[in-house]
Amino acid sequence: MRLETQETSGVSSPRNRLVFAYYVTGHGFGHATRVVEVVRHLILAGHCVHVVTGAPDFVFTSEVQSPRLFIRKVLLDCGAVQADALTVDRLASLEKYSVTAVVPRASILETEVEWLNSIKADLVISDVVPVACRAAADAGIRSVCVTNFSWDFIYAEYVMAAGNHHRKIVWQIAEDYSHCEFLIRLPGYCPMPAFRDVIDVPLVVRRLHKSRKEVRKELGIGDDVKLVILNFGGQPSGWKLEEKYLPPGWLCLVCGASERENLPPNFVKLAKDAYTPDLIAASDCMLGKIGYGTVSESLAYKCPFVFVRRDYFNEEPFLRNMLEYYQSGVEMIRRDLLTGHWKPYLEHALSLKPCYEGGINGGEVAAYILQETAAGRNYASDKFSGASRLRDAIVLGYQLQRMPGRDLCIPDWYANAENELGLGAGSPEVGMNEKISQMNLWSDDFDILHGDHHGLPDTVSFLKSLSEIVSEGGKSPEKRQMRERKAAAALFNWEEEIFVTRAPGRLDVMGGIADYSGSLVLQMPIREACHVAVQRNHPSRHRLWKHALARQQARGQGPTPVLEIVSYGSELSNRGPTFDMDLSDFMDGGKPISYQKAKEFFACDPSQKWAAYVAGTILVLMTELGVRFEDSISLLVSSAVPEGKGVSSSAAVEVASMSAIAAAHGLNISSRDLALLCQKVENHIVGAPCGVMDQMTSACGEANKLLAMVCQPAEVIGLVEIPSHVRFWGIDSGIRHSVGGADYGSVRIGAFMGRRMIKSTASTMLSGTLSNGNGTNQDELEEDGLELLESEASLDYLCNLSPHRYEALYVSMLPESILGETFVEKYADHNDAVTIIDNKRTYGVRASTRHPIYENFRVKAFKALLTSASSDEQLTALGELLYQCHYSYSACGLGSDGTERLVRLVQEMQHNRLAKHDDGSLYGAKITGGGSGGAVCVVGRNCLRSSQQILEIQQKYKKATGYLPFLFEGSSPGAGTFGYLKIRRRSSAKSVDSC
């Protein structure tokens, strides 16, 4: 519920003095600065407050001088550990939390229960220390949380990146929060499913002590000086401020500067205990990273905020959306921050008109609620505990991929939070009448000069979105307009030709991680696809974004080729929606830079690392084909392929991008060659060790057919018709999949280690030096066949070794696992160009080697079965092969709770008595792709009942986990079949505008 209050003069005092224990999380000063405002009002009301914190005393004592304030210096959680001022180290965060709060948990609880009883606490308040809630429960004291995020939500995505062995940390945190009485929720909040009841309050903002005029007078700054406050809570490492960073007439106040640091004359070092609210209110804008404190004070005092994204801190997108909604935010690219290209951002900030008019007395309101709760008033409802919904936060994590028309895959708690921010997307399905309407709408604006949209609804929808951008001109009556849409409106010269391409994702029916071992694979292009629109312009006619133009002007050069990219779908993910660079940055001494340098270039700013998938295609064309780009390039990327679901979202982006660039520059590249070039982007520039089947399917696939390819390296041997009685579905587990994750990479390394060991053994057997004690002599070598041993001694691909040879000669000599250091000492190298052995890590060898050898055999059998006569036996055998593949993945250590649950649900449905007596049935399922989460592939009879069973599984999974799985149904053509569209705005549309 939301508590509506009016500004009051203070919290009224009850009859008895109350004792509050207020626990403050160890993440930065932001929590302490908002806590102090609540504490101030509690003490004004006559109560005693014991603050448990790791923050410096001055944060509290500068605001509250009272004998009823007690500060206890204890750190009970560590928050998010930062690698630098702008980057959170996810693994280090989990490891430090384990050391700080998990290992000593028993002693912490014992100590806190004893302490709470000793001070006779009436209420425990947490912002937002998990163990405080459990300690309060053990002490028999009520607890309330006051926050805009909770650590179970923040850490959930970290677990996806760091590995499932950390999952128990998140579950423990969530369980601790479930002991809380209720949540006092602050604006800009994240989804927090652990709490059973919620009360919303206004912004908690520290009060002003001095006016703008007083502050400037004390600093000796006139009204004609433009003032920016640099508020990072610690500067990026190795960064040195320079005088040229500021435009003439500007002065910068620096928070948190080192005492030893010498600043330029136009930068002023502030004392560590400087009271920043007064300084923010006296400034013309603020430059820093987003946190609750900076955002709330920026909104409250109408100070425009130039912000730089903080990587991997999942609170940020929600605060950022609130900041931009009230027209108070300007995003600065990190490289422009570090290289001093501040001018266009500062000038843009001055043009903003911040419009937040909401309450800023959240501290007072929260204090009143806490007082009444401690005095016995029941603010909490009788709702069932939110603990049953905690799995939402774990299964889904932070990385919720948002695309228009895909709301069904978003849990209720997230949709509610999103809707309250006014960020809802479209309806989940588009009816046929609307599709026809869309065709009519876009066709009024553009002529198709080349190509065909093939009647694909998503292509028509994409063209319609281009029409809407043209008609809006980037303007909207809404107060908040998505930045990506504004940027797209200024991206193209709409009077010139635009090239449009489309590339689908893929469903891994069979083959999966055996591709890098040379297996036969069977892949189906899915209905969901990525669209890219591209335009080339002479640099003198290219409209640059302000910061890009300022960068060129600073170099004193004339117009030079620039790459500008807009990516749709970034608003609710922690990545920048735009990217730009000078194409000359790809050149060094007249030659293209190395892939390693490019990888480092994109890795500098993780919020823009996504651009490597798009811009990397340009460097690969330059390096591999010698293409030189003399014109500027503008790209709009819009992908409906969900990220992290194991359906090759990255390959779709790469293939669509390279196809569009090739079309715009008249490059004739075969679909196969284009796929191989795109693999280089992923392997060498992005740095993900994937095989080539993803890019090949996206480029060469055809609708309603399985692409059959032998990955040695990429030989398409045909397209397999999917029989009319057979159907494939993909079901998303909700657990994020990453081909760059440690599990996929370690299994790949294990397979290459196994190949190296097999080759070494075969070579030894050939040379006759293997001892008789191992069961082999020269006669046996002759019987086995010298030719076979020779081929195995030079084995290029594991999949060229047959299962029976593997079992007869090699399985016994392969270890179950091996330490990286031990392997390197004996074999030197595993001969895989895209992975690196960690000497301190143990790798599974036998299972990782066995999987591709047997998988190749299973795929061949699966392909043969698809072309055999229709029968129940055929479907049963197809399903059994999928199950075998799934359990082989599991033996390698791949998989997730979600995919295991989905496969079990398919098995239960298959063997259900009722299912056996009707027309429909599902026959098998397996995890897909890289295997670190993602989706499962299901095979069944193509009939209505089977589709109904899939929907039943979808609902059962939601009931068990809180997450409604995304279903992948249907197929679509690959990029090669689609070709490209060349479109131009109609002259009639131009004349309408001129009227």
Side-chain angles (χ1 to χ4, degrees):
M1 66 178 175
R2 184 174 298 278
L3 191 68
E4 300 293 343
T5 64
Q6 296 179 344
E7 297 280 351
T8 61
S9 58
V11 180
S12 59
S13 300
R15 294 177 185 174
N16 300 318
R17 177 175 292 176
L18 300 169
V19 177
F20 295 89
Y22 210 139
Y23 288 81
V24 188
T25 195
H27 183 79
F29 282 5
H31 294 266
T33 57
R34 71 188 184 197
V35 163
V36 74
E37 188 64 15
V38 181
V39 168
R40 185 173 69 85
H41 283 285
L42 288 173
I43 287 180
L44 282 175
H47 307 302
C48 294
V49 183
H50 294 257
V51 177
V52 184
T53 181
D57 289 2
F58 75 81
V59 178
F60 301 93
T61 56
S62 62
E63 272 294 275
V64 181
Q65 295 88 33
S66 171
R68 294 193 303 279
L69 171 63
F70 305 90
I71 300 177
R72 177 170 168 246
K73 301 304 287 290
V74 178
L75 186 65
L76 297 179
D77 70 359
C78 63
V81 177
Q82 296 192 179
D84 57 43
L86 293 171
T87 305
V88 171
D89 187 326
R90 293 172 289 181
L91 182 57
S93 298
L94 294 173
E95 290 176 345
K96 187 170 182 180
Y97 185 86
S98 181
V99 171
T100 306
V102 177
V103 174
R105 178 177 173 81
S107 62
I108 288 173
L109 284 171
E110 181 180 355
T111 300
E112 295 311 302
V113 169
E114 182 180 348
W115 177 75
L116 288 171
N117 286 327
S118 72
I119 66 170
K120 296 181 172 54
D122 294 293
L123 185 70
V124 170
I125 313 166
S126 178
D127 184 358
V128 61
V129 181
V131 74
C133 302
R134 177 58 185 269
D138 289 353
I141 304 168
R142 301 168 78 185
S143 64
V144 175
C145 284
V146 183
T147 185
N148 65 304
F149 73 84
S150 55
W151 287 114
D152 56 335
F153 178 75
I154 299 296
Y155 287 158
E157 190 267 340
Y158 298 179
V159 168
M160 304 303 170
N164 291 342
H165 59 286
H166 287 288
R167 183 172 295 186
K168 60 184 179 181
I169 290 177
V170 186
W171 283 113
Q172 185 64 70
I173 292 171
E175 182 185 337
D176 285 348
Y177 286 145
S178 70
H179 293 286
C180 173
E181 194 83 12
F182 60 90
L183 166 69
I184 296 178
R185 188 168 63 178
L186 307 179
Y189 56 82
C190 304
M192 291 181 278
F195 301 99
R196 64 173 178 245
D197 204 0
V198 173
I199 300 173
D200 288 306
V201 299
L203 283 175
V204 174
V205 181
R206 288 180 291 176
R207 59 179 176 162
L208 295 181
H209 293 168
K210 300 173 183 176
S211 69
R212 172 186 172 96
K213 187 174 181 179
E214 289 172 328
V215 172
R216 284 184 168 247
K217 183 177 180 180
E218 287 183 5
L219 293 171
I221 300 172
D223 289 337
D224 59 330
V225 175
K226 297 299 180 186
L227 192 62
V228 55
I229 179 168
L230 187 65
N231 193 3
F232 272 99
Q235 297 173 18
S237 59
W239 184 41
K240 186 177 180 181
L241 297 168
E242 298 182 32
E243 185 175 353
K244 64 181 181 181
Y245 288 6
L246 294 177
W250 281 76
L251 192 67
C252 181
L253 306 178
V254 183
C255 300
S258 168
E259 293 181 3
R260 300 176 183 176
E261 186 176 0
N262 293 320
L263 297 181
N266 51 352
F267 287 80
V268 177
K269 189 184 303 182
L270 295 173
K272 286 190 175 181
D273 58 353
Y275 191 64
T276 52
D278 288 347
L279 295 164
I280 291 172
S283 298
D284 295 288
C285 66
M286 175 163 51
L287 172 57
K289 61 186 180 185
I290 287 179
Y292 182 86
T294 52
V295 169
S296 63
E297 288 165 1
S298 166
L299 293 174
Y301 304 124
K302 293 183 169 52
C303 179
F305 191 176
V306 180
F307 62 86
V308 182
R309 289 180 189 246
R310 182 168 37 163
D311 308 318
Y312 308 128
F313 193 63
N314 302 330
E315 167 197 23
E316 180 174 297
F318 299 90
L319 292 171
R320 186 177 70 241
N321 285 325
M322 182 172 67
L323 190 70
E324 293 175 347
Y325 182 86
Y326 293 110
Q327 301 181 49
S328 295
V330 177
E331 180 181 349
M332 177 185 281
I333 299 170
R334 182 183 295 194
R335 71 172 183 270
D336 284 345
L337 169 76
L338 300 179
T339 56
H341 293 288
W342 294 9
K343 180 179 178 181
Y345 302 98
L346 298 178
E347 291 177 345
H348 185 186
L350 293 183
S351 70
L352 296 180
K353 297 185 177 1
C355 58
Y356 180 77
E357 299 295 345
I360 60 173
N361 64 329
E364 180 183 353
V365 175
Y368 177 79
I369 296 170
L370 295 169
Q371 171 187 276
E372 295 296 290
T373 302
R377 182 175 174 183
N378 185 20
Y379 266 89
S381 71
D382 295 326
K383 291 180 183 176
F384 180 68
S385 172
S388 65
R389 292 155 53 223
L390 297 179
R391 194 175 296 266
D392 287 341
I394 312 307
V395 170
L396 196 58
Y398 162 69
Q399 298 284 2
L400 295 165
Q401 179 61 24
R402 299 293 295 113
M403 294 84 58
R406 297 303 176 198
D407 292 316
L408 283 179
C409 68
I410 302 300
D412 293 340
W413 58 260
Y414 186 86
N416 291 339
E418 183 187 38
N419 290 337
E420 289 181 38
L421 283 174
L423 302 172
S427 60
E429 296 294 337
V430 179
M432 185 56 66
N433 290 336
E434 186 172 346
K435 293 175 186 175
I436 296 171
S437 165
Q438 288 176 349
M439 291 187 186
N440 293 332
L441 282 172
W442 72 260
S443 62
D444 290 338
D445 281 333
F446 289 100
D447 284 319
I448 294 182
L449 307 178
H450 173 88
D452 182 6
H453 58 63
H454 299 275
L456 292 164
D458 61 340
T459 301
V460 172
S461 179
F462 179 70
L463 294 172
K464 177 178 179 286
S465 74
L466 295 181
S467 295
E468 290 173 345
I469 292 172
V470 174
S471 60
E472 291 173 3
K475 298 176 182 178
S476 171
E478 297 180 6
K479 185 185 298 182
R480 190 189 71 86
Q481 174 79 13
M482 287 193 301
R483 286 173 300 134
E484 59 195 37
R485 200 168 184 89
K486 287 182 178 179
L491 187 64
F492 297 125
N493 180 348
W494 296 102
E495 317 305 326
E496 302 295 334
E497 294 173 349
I498 297 173
F499 295 80
V500 176
T501 54
R502 177 189 185 278
R506 67 96 186 95
L507 183 66
D508 167 37
V509 175
M510 287 291 286
I513 59 169
D515 63 341
Y516 54 69
S517 295
S519 178
L520 172 68
V521 298
L522 296 173
Q523 307 294 308
M524 184 180 79
I526 59 176
R527 181 178 58 187
E528 290 74 19
C530 173
H531 287 84
V532 169
V534 65
Q535 185 179 75
R536 53 187 291 197
N537 278 299
H538 189 275
S540 63
R541 300 183 60 199
H542 190 215
R543 290 182 294 177
L544 295 176
W545 293 323
K546 289 182 179 179
H547 63 271
L549 179 61
R551 189 170 61 235
Q552 284 204 357
Q553 290 173 342
R555 292 179 179 177
Q557 300 173 339
T560 56
V562 171
L563 169 66
E564 293 184 334
I565 308 171
V566 175
S567 170
Y568 273 3
S570 61
E571 283 296 286
L572 281 182
S573 60
N574 198 19
R575 67 171 191 251
T578 64
F579 173 85
D580 67 272
M581 63 177 290
D582 295 331
L583 286 176
S584 60
D585 290 341
F586 274 154
M587 300 295 291
D588 184 12
K591 295 181 180 180
I593 63 173
S594 68
Y595 290 150
Q596 180 60 33
K597 283 188 177 179
K599 181 180 176 182
E600 293 168 359
F601 175 84
F602 289 109
C604 286
D605 186 353
S607 71
Q608 292 194 313
K609 188 177 178 181
W610 60 267
Y613 296 98
V614 184
T617 62
I618 293 176
L619 180 61
V620 168
L621 290 172
M622 294 168 68
T623 303
E624 306 298 330
L625 302 185
V627 181
R628 294 295 178 264
F629 296 93
E630 304 297 335
D631 288 338
S632 290
I633 301 172
S634 300
L635 281 131
L636 174 63
V637 181
S638 177
S639 182
V641 185
E643 293 180 28
K645 311 301 184 188
V647 290
S648 299
S649 58
S650 61
V653 171
E654 292 156 356
V655 171
S657 298
M658 188 173 286
S659 298
I661 292 167
H665 291 82
L667 304 177
N668 187 15
I669 307 173
S670 70
S671 297
R672 177 187 181 276
D673 289 345
L674 187 136
L676 290 170
L677 291 171
C678 288
Q679 186 194 17
K680 290 182 181 294
V681 177
E682 185 123 13
N683 286 170
H684 303 301
I685 299 177
V686 175
C690 71
V692 73
M693 70 177 189
D694 301 354
Q695 290 83 3
M696 287 293 291
T697 308
S698 187
C700 306
E702 291 189 15
N704 302 312
K705 297 178 182 179
L706 299 182
L707 181 78
M709 180 180 72
V710 176
C711 302
Q712 301 188 15
E715 305 305 324
V716 175
I717 62 173
L719 293 158
V720 182
E721 291 276 357
I722 300 174
S724 60
H725 66 286
V726 176
R727 188 171 184 182
F728 298 102
W729 295 265
I731 309 178
D732 165 38
S733 69
I735 296 177
R736 186 169 179 80
H737 156 92
S738 173
V739 76
D743 290 338
Y744 172 90
S746 65
V747 172
R748 175 171 177 146
I749 289 172
F752 276 86
M753 285 177 165
R755 185 186 67 136
R756 179 72 180 84
M757 293 176 181
I758 288 170
K759 290 174 67 176
S760 177
T761 301
S763 296
T764 303
M765 293 171 69
L766 269 177
S767 66
T769 58
L770 193 66
S771 69
N772 290 335
N774 285 328
T776 305
N777 57 40
Q778 189 62 38
D779 293 336
E780 290 173 337
L781 287 179
E782 292 172 356
E783 291 175 10
D784 288 336
L786 290 176
E787 287 186 5
L788 280 173
L789 280 177
E790 287 172 354
S791 66
E792 288 158 5
S794 58
L795 191 65
D796 287 334
Y797 296 96
L798 264 179
C799 289
N800 290 338
L801 181 66
S802 64
H804 74 272
R805 289 284 292 179
Y806 168 74
E807 293 290 348
L809 294 180
Y810 302 112
V811 65
S812 61
M813 48 76 54
L814 289 177
E816 289 288 344
S817 60
I818 191 169
L819 184 67
E821 188 175 37
T822 304
F823 176 86
V824 172
E825 287 176 357
K826 185 172 183 179
Y827 298 100
D829 192 10
H830 65 319
N831 301 124
D832 180 19
V834 299
T835 57
I836 298 174
I837 294 173
D838 181 349
N839 285 346
K840 302 304 179 184
R841 181 166 186 171
T842 298
Y843 296 93
V845 175
R846 187 176 295 177
S848 299
T849 303
R850 185 180 192 274
H851 174 80
I853 293 170
Y854 277 85
E855 182 71 356
N856 189 41
F857 175 79
R858 286 189 289 264
V859 181
K860 290 177 179 179
F862 196 93
K863 180 175 178 288
L865 278 167
L866 276 177
T867 58
S868 65
S870 170
S871 66
D872 282 341
E873 289 76 13
Q874 176 206 33
L875 285 165
T876 300
L878 290 172
E880 183 60 32
L881 288 170
L882 257 64
Y883 285 137
Q884 289 182 18
C885 173
H886 178 78
Y887 292 116
S888 184
Y889 264 81
S890 300
C892 293
L894 297 172
S896 66
D897 292 347
T899 50
E900 289 298 323
R901 181 184 294 276
L902 285 169
V903 170
R904 287 198 303 270
L905 287 172
V906 171
Q907 290 175 330
E908 291 168 6
M909 191 68 70
Q910 176 184 357
H911 300 297
N912 184 287
R913 290 182 181 179
L914 293 176
K916 292 181 179 180
H917 296 292
D918 57 29
D919 293 333
S921 186
L922 306 178
Y923 288 88
K926 62 175 277 285
I927 193 171
T928 64
S932 301
V936 300
C937 173
V938 182
V939 64
R941 189 181 298 279
N942 185 18
C943 63
L944 178 61
R945 179 58 187 142
S946 293
S947 295
Q948 291 172 339
Q949 290 174 337
I950 291 289
L951 294 175
E952 289 176 34
I953 289 172
Q954 184 187 42
Q955 292 300 324
K956 286 183 178 180
Y957 190 83
K958 181 185 180 183
K959 184 176 180 180
T961 68
Y963 175 74
L964 185 68
F966 187 103
L967 298 181
F968 298 98
E969 298 182 87
S971 182
S972 67
T977 299
F978 182 87
Y980 69 88
L981 299 176
K982 182 164 66 174
I983 63 175
R984 178 185 287 152
R985 194 178 181 194
R986 284 187 171 178
S987 56
S988 58
K990 302 176 194 176
S991 61
V992 169
D993 284 351
S994 63
C995 295

